[in-house]
Amino acid sequence: VSGILVCEAGCILENIMSFLDNEGFIMPLDLGAKGSCQIGGNVSTNAGGLRLVRYGSLHGSVLGVEAVLANGTVLDMLKTLRKDNTGYGLKHLFIGSEGSLGIVTKVSILTPPKLSSVNVAFLACKDYSCCQVRTVFLF
């Protein structure tokens, strides 16, 4: 209902996308390898994907993580609040750390509502020199 997904790190991105599609939400991350990549690895590498420009990086979409440190300590930062000022934002240390600080085991992600329609535009130029010289403004 709130658009917040909580899942374990081993979930396949394509399975998450299918689940969210049935619930009326979309995943803010879309990759070519969505059939085999896992969300824990995506968070650990701060994967960008096809929807980066529209929805931003995972730093803005990830609300919380659970991670295991090298000594076995479990850090539970699995918040589901959109705004949380209750201490240090340690989750940002694990997003993009590629597992060097700890292994991400669970993640909570803010998922936007599914769009009711999609608009596609096709723009063409006569040749490459037209693209370089002319500036096109669309209003």
Side-chain angles (χ1 to χ4, degrees):
V1 173
S2 64
I4 298 171
L5 172 76
V6 178
C7 64
E8 293 186 354
C11 292
I12 304 294
L13 182 60
E14 189 171 31
N15 296 344
I16 294 171
M17 293 171 83
S18 297
F19 172 78
L20 289 172
D21 188 45
N22 293 334
E23 299 295 321
F25 296 95
I26 63 167
M27 186 69 181
L29 174 68
D30 189 10
L31 300 171
K34 62 185 164 195
S36 60
C37 67
Q38 298 173 353
I39 194 65
N42 298 145
V43 171
S44 293
T45 58
N46 194 21
L50 302 172
R51 298 179 179 155
L52 176 76
V53 174
R54 181 174 181 102
Y55 297 108
S57 71
L58 285 176
H59 278 282
S61 299
V62 173
L63 299 176
V65 297
E66 178 187 85
V68 178
L69 302 180
N71 65 359
T73 304
V74 178
L75 292 179
D76 185 7
M77 301 167 288
L78 199 61
K79 310 277 187 193
T80 57
L81 300 172
R82 294 177 189 234
K83 181 173 170 75
D84 185 12
N85 292 337
T86 59
Y88 295 111
L90 295 177
K91 69 176 180 176
H92 294 290
L93 292 175
F94 293 95
I95 300 171
S97 70
E98 298 184 357
S100 61
L101 300 175
I103 305 298
V104 174
T105 56
K106 288 183 185 174
V107 62
S108 62
I109 301 174
L110 180 63
T111 59
K114 191 160 117 178
L115 301 173
S116 59
S117 65
V118 176
N119 296 322
V120 178
F122 179 74
L123 304 174
C125 293
K126 186 169 47 173
D127 55 16
Y128 184 67
S129 62
C130 290
C131 295
Q132 290 178 325
V133 177
R134 298 179 187 177
T135 305
V136 178
F137 294 101
L138 298 175
F139 295 100

